[in-house]
Amino acid sequence: MRKLRKHLLNLALGELVAAFTFLVVFKLYLDLGFASLLALSFLVFQLIQGVLYWVFRSQSLGKEKSLLMRKTLIMLRRTNLLLAVLVVILLVMLAQNKRDLFLGMLIYVFSVIEYINYYWYRLSYGKSGFNIKLLIQAGLKPSSIHKLLKRK
């Protein structure tokens, strides 16, 4: 149980480091326009949800899953859908130039993939991470959050 808790906290830490790294890299090395910054904000929002979920999982090992956490995840899943639509519309409307739009759309696509990975289907498997060949062979499997939300 202790080893599993440590693993779950490492997953949370990995998500947090990824969010922080994206922010630092984009701030220091890329001249972001408003569209790119908006897309980056959406990505960081996704990653922070991953942090919260893995911390929750590590704290609830061996216990019944919290109704509050389930309701929070349901609300976040719906909020993400609304934000996904809003962000893509704003990206197109507010892009300062083609570079800003292109970079913003790349970040946005990555954010949507993260959303799908968290709330619907597991897109990474084991140490290989995202491997399209393995994904096709194994098929899409429900994500941890999706399984949690399906339980009654």
Side-chain angles (χ1 to χ4, degrees):
M1 186 92 95
R2 187 175 171 155
K3 190 174 181 179
L4 180 57
R5 179 170 278 125
K6 184 178 178 183
H7 176 70
L8 293 171
L9 288 173
N10 280 337
L11 289 171
L13 183 61
E15 300 288 354
L16 187 62
V17 168
F20 182 74
T21 301
F22 279 123
L23 289 172
V24 168
V25 166
F26 281 92
K27 177 70 175 150
L28 294 178
Y29 298 108
L30 296 174
D31 181 26
L32 289 179
F34 187 74
S36 300
L37 194 55
L38 182 65
L40 180 63
S41 299
F42 186 52
L43 174 59
V44 169
F45 183 60
Q46 299 302 312
L47 294 170
I48 296 302
Q49 290 173 59
V51 172
L52 294 174
Y53 174 70
W54 292 119
V55 168
F56 160 73
R57 284 289 306 270
S58 75
Q59 300 303 313
S60 66
L61 282 176
K63 302 175 192 170
E64 184 154 335
K65 306 301 184 242
S66 162
L67 181 60
L68 176 63
M69 188 60 190
R70 286 185 78 237
K71 286 182 177 184
T72 301
L73 289 170
I74 289 168
M75 187 233 9
L76 284 170
R77 183 173 62 184
R78 290 177 182 157
T79 301
N80 287 326
L81 284 173
L82 179 64
L83 285 174
V85 172
L86 186 62
V87 166
V88 78
I89 292 168
L90 289 173
L91 276 175
V92 173
M93 289 175 47
L94 302 175
Q96 295 173 339
N97 51 46
K98 287 182 182 179
R99 181 180 181 270
D100 186 31
L101 179 61
F102 179 75
L103 189 56
M105 291 305 282
L106 281 177
I107 299 166
Y108 174 78
V109 167
F110 187 67
S111 302
V112 170
I113 290 170
E114 280 296 307
Y115 166 73
I116 292 168
N117 187 49
Y118 290 156
Y119 286 95
W120 297 102
Y121 299 104
R122 184 176 174 196
L123 299 177
S124 60
Y125 293 88
K127 295 182 189 275
S128 66
F130 183 76
N131 182 332
I132 193 73
K133 189 176 180 180
L134 185 60
L135 189 62
I136 290 170
Q137 289 173 347
L140 291 174
K141 295 185 172 135
S143 69
S144 296
I145 293 175
H146 186 77
K147 289 183 215 174
L148 174 69
L149 297 180
K150 283 292 182 186
R151 289 186 203 141
K152 298 290 177 189

